[in-house]
């Protein structure tokens, strides 16, 4: 019985294939396409129903919820989600909303003064781009604060034209011209903030010059005597200026602003802080004498980080008669209670970026880069500072490295001089593709 059934099946199968073989190939192809099209439509309809049922329309997410999510994410994560849809990119790319974070650090090539574009380098993710800066043509960069550049143009042998330029928004603020004897400029914050003050440091004496919003000229203060201030920074409502012997001067910004606005000649509240090194008595004198002995081969920076006033010492070693090489860094935080410099062994979550009139710090966790406790430095116009010697490197140093342990160098001062610049997050969301995680 089974054999008869099997034989019948084989016979029908042969007839079926004989029938198919008699059908023209063109007709078979037409039948196949119609069959696939029919069931393909059914499959797509089924997928669409499932998407509507289980998948959300992210573009309709309420703005308040998106902002709450963005507050919890790192900069790089926000950069990624800003590419999810046009509405998210529009919200995250709005200029200066109240919830936005510090921004993203990059290097600006400041020796390209005769170009209408300036080269920007993101050292954290190895990316280079060009900024359209027609307003900066013929000018060189004196420094920066967050997203603002201090641009200077030589008017003649004695005077400089100074203006503040935001390369991302295109905003400009013209400042009065000033003598070219000043070598550093420090601001009390963003130009949009209340009681905004700019301060200049003289290169040959302790003369200072101040400008406030709306003023037609710089107000000079030349009552302090001694060697020129080496560096200055704004921190917690005051300017702090680095003097000889590792002492600092404090100037209350509010008193400066009020005095200038009221037309007082004797303006500003100045106070000297005679700071020492926070060590045991036996070692304190040794450290101070060593630092003072090596001052001619130390470049010192004052900077603010998380509300603390930091002193960063950059040590050089002579490789040749005319070349200095960065050997190491040491960081000290000012203890205002004991009026002493306390050595910082670890920066924690912070990354320091050192430069002339542009030192700043960032949170590695907030950026989402997985790099912490590093000092990023550049040449910041060191040529000729140390009796004709030259420094030809910029690089990265991890705090806590042992002496003579090599660290990373890049670049050459003969090609570029660099300025640290903070690209605002809203601009990055609009213009920078997502950063690939390593």
């Amino acid at each position: 019985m089974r054999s008869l059934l099997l034989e019948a099946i084989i016979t029908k199968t042969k007839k079926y294939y004989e029938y198919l073989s008699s059908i023209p190939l063109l007709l078979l192809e037409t039948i196949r396409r119609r069959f696939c099209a029919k069931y393909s439509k059914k499959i797509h309809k089924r997928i669409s129903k499932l998407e509507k049922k289980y998948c959300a329309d992210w573009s309709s997410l309420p703005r308040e919820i998106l902002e709450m999510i963005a507050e919890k994410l790192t900069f790089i994560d926000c950069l990624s989600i800003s590419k999810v849809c046009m509405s998210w990119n529009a919200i995250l790319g709005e200029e200066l909303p109240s919830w936005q974070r510090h921004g993203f650090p990059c290097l600006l090539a400041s020796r390209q003064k005769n170009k209408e574009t300036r080269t920007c380098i993101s050292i954290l993710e190895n990316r280079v781009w060009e900024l359209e800066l027609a307003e900066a043509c013929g000018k060189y960069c004196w420094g920066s604060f967050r997203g603002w550049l201090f641009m200077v143009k030589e008017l003649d042998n004695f005077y400089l034209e100074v203006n503040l330029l935001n390369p991302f928004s295109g905003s400009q603020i013209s400042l009065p011209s000033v003598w070219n004897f000043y070598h550093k400029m420090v601001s009390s914050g963003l130009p949009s903030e209340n009681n905004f003050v700019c301060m200049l440091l003289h290169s040959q004496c302790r003369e200072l010059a101040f400008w406030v919003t709306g003023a037609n000229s710089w107000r000079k203060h030349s009552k302090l005597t001694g060697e020129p201030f080496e560096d200055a920074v704004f921190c917690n409502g005051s300017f702090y200026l680095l003097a000889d012997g590792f002492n600092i001067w404090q100037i209350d910004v509010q008193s400066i602003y009020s005095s200038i606005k009221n037309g007082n000649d004797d303006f500003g509240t100045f106070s000297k802080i005679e700071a020492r090194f926070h060590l045991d008595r036996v070692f304190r004198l040794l450290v101070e004498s060593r630092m003072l002995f090596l001052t001619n081969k130390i470049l010192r920076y004052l900077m603010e980080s998380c509300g603390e006033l930091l002193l960063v010492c950059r040590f050089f070693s002579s490789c040749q008669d005319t070349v200095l090489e960065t050997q190491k860094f040491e960081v000290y935080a000012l203890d205002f209670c004991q009026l002493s410099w306390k050595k910082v062994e670890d920066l924690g979550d912070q990354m320091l970026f050192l430069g002339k009139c542009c030192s700043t710090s960032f949170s590695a966790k907030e950026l989402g880069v997985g790099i912490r406790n590093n000092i990023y430095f550049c040449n910041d116009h060191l040529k000729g500072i140390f009796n004709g010697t030259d420094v030809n490197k910029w690089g990265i140093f991890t705090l806590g490295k042992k002496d003579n342990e090599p660290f990373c160098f890049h670049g050459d001062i003969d090609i570029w001089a660099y300025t640290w610049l903070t690209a605002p997050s809203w601009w990055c969301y609009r213009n920078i593709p997502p950063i690939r995680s390593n």
Side-chain angles (χ1 to χ4, degrees):
M1 186 70 179
R2 289 182 179 177
S3 60
L4 292 174
L5 181 60
L6 181 62
E7 184 177 350
I9 292 172
I10 293 172
T11 301
K12 288 184 177 182
T13 303
K14 287 181 178 180
K15 289 181 179 181
Y16 174 74
Y17 279 105
E18 288 175 358
Y19 172 75
L20 287 178
S21 61
S22 64
I23 299 175
L25 293 177
L26 183 60
L27 180 59
L28 282 176
E29 180 64 21
T30 302
I31 294 171
R32 185 189 69 78
R33 287 181 179 178
R34 288 183 178 179
F35 180 83
C36 291
K38 178 181 178 180
Y39 284 94
S40 177
K41 290 180 180 179
K42 289 183 178 180
I43 291 172
H44 284 300
K45 286 182 180 179
R46 181 61 177 167
I47 291 174
S48 298
K49 289 181 180 180
L50 291 173
E51 286 179 345
K52 290 180 180 180
K53 184 176 181 181
Y54 297 106
C55 297
D57 180 11
W58 293 110
S59 62
S60 62
L61 188 71
R63 177 193 181 96
E64 295 77 12
I65 296 179
L66 178 60
E67 292 183 358
M68 290 175 61
I69 293 172
E71 287 178 351
K72 304 296 182 181
L73 298 178
T74 66
F75 171 86
I76 290 179
D77 288 337
C78 285
L79 190 61
S80 296
I81 69 170
S82 68
K83 313 303 177 185
V84 169
C85 58
M86 295 295 292
S87 63
W88 285 22
N89 187 267
I91 293 173
L92 294 175
E94 287 184 4
E95 186 173 347
L96 302 178
S98 59
W99 55 271
Q100 281 205 350
R101 48 178 54 85
H102 195 32
F104 195 75
C106 57
L107 275 175
L108 179 74
S110 59
R111 285 194 174 183
Q112 303 170 322
K113 73 172 187 177
N114 294 322
K115 297 178 61 178
E116 293 189 355
T117 60
R118 299 293 172 97
T119 302
C120 275
I121 308 166
S122 172
I123 63 170
L124 298 181
E125 36 113 16
N126 297 321
R127 180 177 291 164
V128 178
W129 68 89
E130 298 292 326
L131 274 178
E132 295 289 338
L133 283 178
E135 305 88 349
C137 186
K139 303 174 182 178
Y140 61 90
C141 187
W142 211 357
S144 71
F145 181 79
R146 296 189 186 176
W148 287 82
L149 296 173
F150 308 150
M151 304 302 299
V152 177
K153 180 180 180 180
E154 295 178 346
L155 297 178
D156 50 39
N157 294 331
F158 300 101
Y159 285 94
L160 300 174
E161 176 187 280
V162 184
N163 73 323
L164 305 178
L165 171 64
N166 190 314
F168 307 103
S169 66
S171 302
Q172 286 193 81
I173 299 175
S174 296
L175 277 62
S177 59
V178 66
W179 277 30
N180 60 3
F181 294 109
Y182 296 97
H183 71 110
K184 285 180 182 286
M185 180 172 172
V186 185
S187 70
S188 63
L190 297 174
S192 58
E193 296 176 354
N194 294 328
N195 304 332
F196 175 70
V197 179
C198 288
M199 179 178 68
L200 295 175
L201 277 63
H202 203 283
S203 60
Q204 300 177 11
C205 62
R206 286 194 178 177
E207 179 179 293
L208 304 172
F210 299 94
W211 178 85
V212 300
T213 305
N216 295 321
S217 62
W218 293 87
R219 293 290 298 274
K220 296 181 181 180
H221 186 281
S222 55
K223 295 182 179 181
L224 301 177
T225 59
E227 294 297 318
F229 291 112
E230 189 169 339
D231 201 3
V233 69
F234 175 78
C235 180
N236 298 329
S238 296
F239 285 125
Y240 291 89
L241 301 99
L242 181 61
D244 55 325
F246 297 91
N247 298 320
I248 58 175
W249 284 82
Q250 179 184 7
I251 313 172
D252 179 64
V253 168
Q254 178 61 48
S255 67
I256 296 172
Y257 188 87
S258 300
S259 298
I260 294 178
K261 283 295 185 180
N262 295 330
N264 297 336
D265 293 331
D266 188 16
F267 61 90
T269 303
F270 290 74
S271 58
K272 184 178 181 181
I273 301 176
E274 297 184 354
R276 303 181 67 84
F277 288 93
H278 185 78
L279 299 165
D280 293 336
R281 291 184 178 180
V282 177
F283 294 103
R284 179 183 295 170
L285 293 176
L286 292 176
V287 171
E288 290 182 347
S289 60
R290 169 178 172 265
M291 292 289 243
L292 293 174
F293 176 75
L294 296 174
T295 299
N296 63 330
K297 290 187 179 179
I298 295 178
L299 188 61
R300 304 179 297 172
Y301 304 83
L302 270 187
M303 64 178 300
E304 182 271 341
S305 178
C306 299
E308 284 192 309
L309 185 63
L310 300 183
L311 170 65
V312 184
C313 299
R314 179 176 177 180
F315 292 85
F316 296 90
S317 61
S318 298
C319 297
Q320 300 174 6
D321 293 338
T322 59
V323 177
L324 286 175
E325 184 177 276
T326 302
Q327 185 179 24
K328 67 173 183 176
F329 291 84
E330 290 182 0
V331 181
Y332 298 86
L334 184 63
D335 186 331
F336 284 93
C337 295
Q338 299 188 23
L339 298 181
S340 61
W341 292 109
K342 186 176 182 179
K343 189 172 183 180
V344 177
E345 302 291 349
D346 190 283
L347 296 172
D349 176 52
Q350 295 299 299
M351 302 179 295
L352 306 184
F353 294 81
L354 299 181
K356 180 179 180 179
C357 307
C358 60
S359 296
T360 185
S361 68
F362 286 83
S363 163
K365 182 178 180 180
E366 183 178 299
L367 288 178
V369 294
I371 305 171
R372 52 168 291 277
N373 198 37
N374 278 349
I375 298 175
Y376 295 82
F377 62 96
C378 56
N379 293 300
D380 52 23
H381 313 289
L382 293 175
K383 197 173 268 191
I385 288 182
F386 298 110
N387 299 323
T389 57
D390 190 14
V391 181
N392 59 1
K393 303 291 183 182
W394 69 268
I396 308 166
F397 180 83
T398 300
L399 196 64
K401 279 184 176 292
K402 298 179 181 179
D403 291 353
N404 300 322
E405 183 178 350
F407 57 99
C408 187
F409 289 104
H410 302 278
D412 191 322
I413 196 171
D414 293 328
I415 301 175
W416 286 336
Y418 301 106
T419 299
W420 293 113
L421 177 65
T422 301
S425 54
W426 61 264
W427 185 89
C428 295
Y429 299 148
R430 293 182 188 178
N431 297 279
I432 298 181
I435 300 172
R436 296 180 180 179
S437 58
N438 294 328

